[in-house]
Amino acid sequence: MSLSRRTLTARWVRFGLLLVPLLLALLHASGVWPIGFVTQLDLAIDDARLRLSVPNTLDPRVVIVDIDEPAMQEIGRWPWGRDRMAALTDELFVRQGAAVVGFDLVFAEADSSSGLPALERLAATDPVLANRLPAWRSALDNDERFARALAGRAAVLGFHFTSDRGAHRSGSLPAPVFDARVLGGRPIRFTEWNGYAANLPRLAQAAPSAGFFNSLPDADGVVRAMPLIAAHAGRHYETLALAMFRRHTGQPQVEPGFPPEGWLPSGYSGLESIQLLQGPNRLAVPVDERVAVRVPYRGAGGPRGGSFRYVSAADLLQGRLAAGQLSGALVLVGSSAPGLFDIRSTPLGRAYPGVEVHANLLSGLLDGHLPVQPDWARGYEVALLVLTALAMAVLLTRLRAVPQVLAMLALTAALVGFNLWLYAARALVLPLASALLMLALVYVGAMSWGYLRESRTRRLLTRLFGTYVSPERVREMARDPERYTMQAENRELSVMFCDMRNFTQVSESLSPQALRELVNRFFSAMTTVIGAHRGTLDKYIGDALMAFWGAPLDDPLHAERAVRAAQEMVRQLAPLNADLRSAGLPPMGVGIGVNSGLVCVGDMGSDARRSYTVMGDAVNLASRIEALTRHYGVDILVGEATRRAAADAFRWVEVDRVRVKGKQQCVTLFTPLNDAAPSGDSSDEEVRLWALALAACRLQHWDDAESHLHDLHDLCARHAPHGASGLSTLHRQLAQRIQHHRLHPPPPDWDGSHTFDTK
């Protein structure tokens, strides 16, 4: 499989890694296939978010009168007689000046602690007792005493709903806040129960305000929400905290709040809020799809929690609390004693007093801050998942590994930060777990697939390019494997051909084994130089080799690196020729041709055999240029395009202007001066005189050309150690060409080029 096809496959796999988690998350978010683990994770996130935002400060407006263990030891075990409750009520309203007193208790049965029931049984058989019973009843009836203590005061009783097969009902329910008719037939998902345990009728009549104290524990048993309104038999009742709040604020009317009709999508019938109306004033309390709100816990629960003031009921009954200490407070009477089984599991503790749950809800109503999961939360979750998936698709396809990690962390932080802001600023409890899990699954999947694919791609790159480029360059390519493919493309490159000189003469004097060692040594040295200069070995062609620069890795300095490699290859012959001379063999030489231009590079060949190679006119010209090194007697010849691309990197000598076989356009050839030749008066003068001689020849000024050559010959004779003595063959050839043109003048339009009819 080619790298381009592998890249396409990788993109499809990456798309699948994104699509599968997205579909699972959408199924969960839409409610089609809820995933329990995701739901539990959302609840855990809710709890963590709550713990991060709790104020941990005392709310002085709400006070809890605690029927605690010390009170029960001092006053007596629960239940207390209603005379005690009457005395407690009087203490709260009269001496302490409480604004509202709510009871997180239900008084469903008559008080038997006064002895009145036993007296009534005796009076049934004793006429004397029967005559005195009416006078005694008023004095002995504790329920009546409690009713009188409640009457005419801002007292709110509690009751609780039940659900069982028998739909048992006891006591008297308060008046509903509204009935089903105001809903207009909308199927609102109220929390509904079929039974109840309410207060005695005489108590309910004395204190008509009452609220239920049922909570809504989640599947893990933790109380995070409370129904604000619940349904029973087509009527709707308020929770204890709301009943106390309404009693405190003048009993505003309760109405269901729906979104404007124009905002309702087709088939929508949800309840948006509970409206509290009092004259022109309107307070909207947002609710979720169950007409519930999240409890705005203030901090740890219990007398030592610090969120609310706890006062022992015994201190009130015994008059140990100074008068007016609870003036204006909203008082909840309940119990933190484990023996009374009013302990709840909450996000802030597994043993949280139930009465304090109502205190937190009441505090939130007073603050106007009740977190709620709106009924459009599912739509929000779906939209969030789609937007997150789109963001991940962009990040995973356009960024590399390290930026991907940073971008994913930034995206995670953005999701969490936005969710926290909605909770803190808008009191919106919105889902987050599905988006985070999808992000994590996609990223882990993409990274795992990327690691596997990268490992396979590295092996493929090593297999494909390991024979062409050095191991260092293979490792460099492996850092971004998708950039390097075998697919053919046009690219500006520099191409080199290198041929061994005197190979036939040397080979005739060697055994096959010695010849093989010589060839291996030569090619190993040349290949090492090519790799060191970031070149790509194309192939060995008999006693020659072909290489190129600029592919598969981009290299803007391809021309300069090719020429420097050529110079180093010439220098590498010195130790090899020293060994040949010691063996009595003639030295070897090289002819190197370099040309730059637009070529086609890639995986080319037949179905049976293919190779990564280059083709094009610039390649053919490089081969022709290499062949001309023998004619001009220089080791290195480069084309005009190569010299132009690396003009500032070397000192150049123009060799000739030629037409090679197969090309009509003339080509100017250059050779770089040896780096070992210092720049100075002699070498610079030699180059200057040669350029003057060459220019005069092209202008057909034969005398001037010969004069410059004569001066050049004298200069080289005086400064042979430092002059460009390797160009002596060029000097002789130009002198011979001048003599030829004297005898056979070229045409007047001659451009100074020399034509070669053979390769």
Side-chain angles (χ1 to χ4, degrees):
M1 182 187 296
S2 68
L3 282 179
S4 59
R5 289 179 61 192
R6 290 178 61 83
T7 301
L8 183 61
T9 301
R11 289 176 179 172
W12 278 106
V13 171
R14 191 180 289 130
F15 177 74
L17 290 172
L18 174 61
L19 184 61
V20 172
L22 174 61
L23 289 177
L24 289 175
L26 289 176
L27 289 173
H28 168 80
S30 62
V32 175
W33 185 27
I35 303 174
F37 170 72
V38 181
T39 302
Q40 290 300 315
L41 183 58
D42 250 327
L43 294 177
I45 292 174
D46 287 351
D47 296 346
R49 181 173 50 209
L50 173 65
R51 286 190 286 268
L52 285 173
S53 61
V54 292
N56 286 314
T57 57
L58 178 70
D59 185 351
R61 300 167 298 178
V62 180
V63 176
I64 296 174
V65 172
D66 191 8
I67 303 173
D68 53 7
E69 289 289 349
M72 288 190 288
Q73 290 176 5
E74 183 175 354
I75 305 300
R77 304 307 299 174
W78 186 263
W80 291 343
R82 302 290 157 74
D83 56 338
R84 298 287 190 186
M85 300 308 301
L88 181 62
T89 303
D90 288 337
E91 173 70 15
L92 288 170
F93 282 112
V94 178
R95 286 190 74 242
Q96 298 301 330
V100 178
V101 176
F103 292 88
D104 185 25
L105 306 165
V106 61
F107 307 102
E109 298 177 353
D111 185 3
S112 60
S113 65
S114 63
L116 182 60
L119 189 59
E120 288 177 338
R121 288 194 298 271
L122 291 174
T125 59
D126 188 336
V128 176
L129 291 178
N131 291 332
R132 297 179 180 179
L133 183 61
W136 292 347
R137 178 177 284 118
S138 178
L140 295 176
D141 191 347
N142 289 341
D143 289 325
E144 183 63 27
R145 291 177 61 186
F146 188 29
R148 288 197 302 268
L150 295 172
R153 290 171 172 168
V156 179
L157 296 178
F159 65 94
H160 68 90
F161 285 115
T162 61
S163 287
D164 52 44
R165 291 183 180 179
H168 296 296
R169 303 172 184 180
S170 63
S172 177
L173 287 176
V177 290
F178 56 78
D179 59 33
R181 288 176 297 178
V182 301
L183 300 175
R186 294 180 177 88
I188 310 301
R189 292 179 54 193
F190 288 100
T191 304
E192 189 164 357
W193 287 277
N194 62 5
Y196 59 83
N199 296 281
L200 294 171
R202 72 171 84 177
L203 299 180
Q205 185 177 3
S209 294
F212 62 87
F213 43 74
N214 300 72
S215 59
L216 282 180
D218 291 311
D220 56 0
V222 177
V223 176
R224 299 179 178 89
M226 292 284 287
L228 206 62
I229 303 292
H232 170 74
R235 295 186 174 187
H236 301 84
Y237 301 89
E238 60 190 330
T239 188
L240 177 61
L242 180 58
M244 291 182 65
F245 177 76
R246 289 180 61 231
R247 191 69 176 84
H248 179 61
T249 55
Q251 291 292 97
Q253 182 181 349
V254 179
E255 288 185 359
F258 301 101
E261 293 293 334
W263 292 78
L264 292 176
S266 177
Y268 179 86
S269 60
L271 186 65
E272 184 179 61
S273 64
I274 294 298
Q275 306 277 342
L276 304 180
L277 289 77
Q278 191 171 35
N281 300 321
R282 179 184 296 267
L283 174 64
V285 181
V287 293
D288 65 15
E289 60 182 5
R290 302 175 300 174
V291 197
V293 293
R294 295 298 175 100
V295 180
Y297 292 101
R298 299 183 60 85
R304 296 183 179 86
S307 299
F308 301 97
R309 180 183 177 186
Y310 274 72
V311 177
S312 175
D315 291 340
L316 289 167
L317 288 172
Q318 300 298 339
R320 291 192 288 263
L321 189 67
Q325 291 294 303
L326 307 183
S327 178
L330 281 71
V331 177
L332 269 161
V333 180
S335 177
S336 64
L340 295 189
F341 306 105
D342 192 23
I343 301 300
R344 301 287 183 263
S345 176
T346 71
L348 298 180
R350 294 297 176 182
Y352 204 93
V355 64
E356 192 166 343
V357 175
H358 302 290
N360 280 285
L361 184 53
L362 178 57
S363 177
L365 285 166
L366 293 171
D367 290 335
H369 179 81
L370 288 176
V372 64
Q373 186 171 75
D375 50 4
W376 44 264
R378 285 188 176 179
Y380 165 86
E381 188 173 8
V382 170
L384 182 67
L385 289 170
V386 173
L387 291 176
T388 303
L390 290 175
M392 285 192 291
V394 173
L395 296 177
L396 292 175
T397 55
R398 297 191 178 183
L399 296 180
R400 301 181 68 178
V402 174
Q404 272 186 17
V405 174
L406 298 177
M408 286 297 180
L409 291 176
L411 180 58
T412 302
L415 290 174
V416 174
F418 184 61
N419 189 274
L420 290 175
W421 177 81
L422 288 174
Y423 181 79
R426 296 291 184 265
L428 293 174
V429 179
L430 292 170
L432 179 62
S434 58
L436 293 181
L437 279 176
M438 181 185 68
L439 191 150
L441 288 175
V442 171
Y443 185 68
V444 171
M447 290 298 99
S448 300
W449 164 251
Y451 177 79
L452 295 175
R453 184 175 57 84
E454 184 178 352
S455 298
R456 295 180 61 188
T457 303
R458 285 179 177 176
R459 292 194 297 270
L460 180 62
L461 283 172
T462 302
R463 186 167 66 250
L464 293 178
F465 294 106
T467 57
Y468 300 109
V469 298
S470 65
E472 292 78 10
R473 299 193 71 198
V474 172
R475 287 192 291 270
E476 183 179 344
M477 294 166 65
R479 298 190 191 108
D480 190 8
E482 293 186 2
R483 290 183 54 192
Y484 309 104
T485 71
M486 299 289 276
Q487 187 175 2
E489 59 177 330
N490 289 328
R491 191 183 292 189
E492 192 80 18
L493 304 179
S494 292
V495 184
M496 170 194 286
F497 283 86
C498 174
D499 189 23
M500 299 170 62
R501 293 178 182 171
N502 296 332
F503 177 73
T504 302
Q505 183 180 359
V506 173
S507 63
E508 290 175 349
S509 304
L510 296 175
S511 65
Q513 181 65 23
L515 180 61
R516 183 181 71 84
E517 292 178 358
L518 175 65
V519 171
N520 289 347
R521 182 177 175 184
F522 174 81
F523 281 138
S524 295
M526 300 301 108
T527 302
T528 300
V529 172
I530 291 170
H533 288 79
R534 300 179 65 82
T536 300
L537 178 66
D538 189 314
K539 61 178 71 73
Y540 299 119
I541 314 169
D543 59 352
L545 63 82
M546 174 183 172
F548 52 88
W549 279 256
L553 274 74
D554 292 332
D555 189 353
L557 301 177
H558 56 83
E560 178 183 340
R561 295 187 196 279
V563 176
R564 292 200 184 281
Q567 291 179 324
E568 180 64 23
M569 291 164 73
V570 173
R571 288 192 288 269
Q572 288 295 318
L573 285 178
L576 179 62
N577 285 331
D579 292 343
L580 289 175
R581 290 190 186 95
S582 63
L585 297 173
M588 294 178 59
V590 291
I592 301 174
V594 180
N595 187 48
S596 303
L598 188 66
V599 302
C600 180
V601 57
D603 183 30
M604 290 176 273
S606 66
D607 293 338
R609 185 171 182 177
R610 307 175 69 85
S611 64
Y612 187 74
T613 188
V614 291
M615 293 183 180
D617 184 64
V619 179
N620 298 331
L621 181 56
S623 177
R624 303 288 191 273
I625 292 174
E626 181 276 320
L628 294 178
T629 57
R630 295 177 182 270
H631 173 80
Y632 290 106
V634 294
D635 296 325
I636 303 171
L637 278 179
V638 305
E640 187 172 0
T642 302
R643 185 259 181 190
R644 186 167 52 249
D648 298 332
F650 306 93
R651 291 190 299 153
W652 298 96
V653 174
E654 183 178 346
V655 174
D656 202 357
R657 186 180 297 161
V658 302
R659 281 188 175 86
V660 298
K661 183 176 177 61
K663 287 184 67 68
Q664 294 299 318
Q665 186 177 2
C666 64
V667 179
T668 303
L669 302 180
F670 298 85
T671 188
L673 286 180
N674 193 329
D675 291 340
S679 177
D681 293 341
S682 61
S683 59
D684 290 345
E685 180 65 13
E686 183 179 359
V687 172
R688 187 184 71 83
L689 290 173
W690 167 251
L692 290 173
L694 196 60
C697 178
R698 289 171 180 168
L699 292 173
Q700 302 185 37
H701 298 166
W702 315 122
D703 293 338
D704 292 342
E706 286 183 333
S707 175
H708 292 313
L709 284 176
H710 178 75
D711 293 342
L712 182 59
H713 176 74
D714 291 343
L715 179 66
C716 291
R718 293 193 306 270
H719 303 283
H722 303 296
S725 57
L727 303 179
S728 58
T729 302
L730 292 179
H731 305 164
R732 290 193 301 270
Q733 286 182 354
L734 185 59
Q736 293 171 2
R737 188 178 299 177
I738 291 172
Q739 293 299 324
H740 174 78
H741 287 321
R742 282 184 182 276
L743 299 175
H744 306 284
D749 59 348
W750 179 57
D751 58 4
S753 64
H754 184 67
T755 300
F756 290 89
D757 296 325
T758 59
K759 294 184 179 180

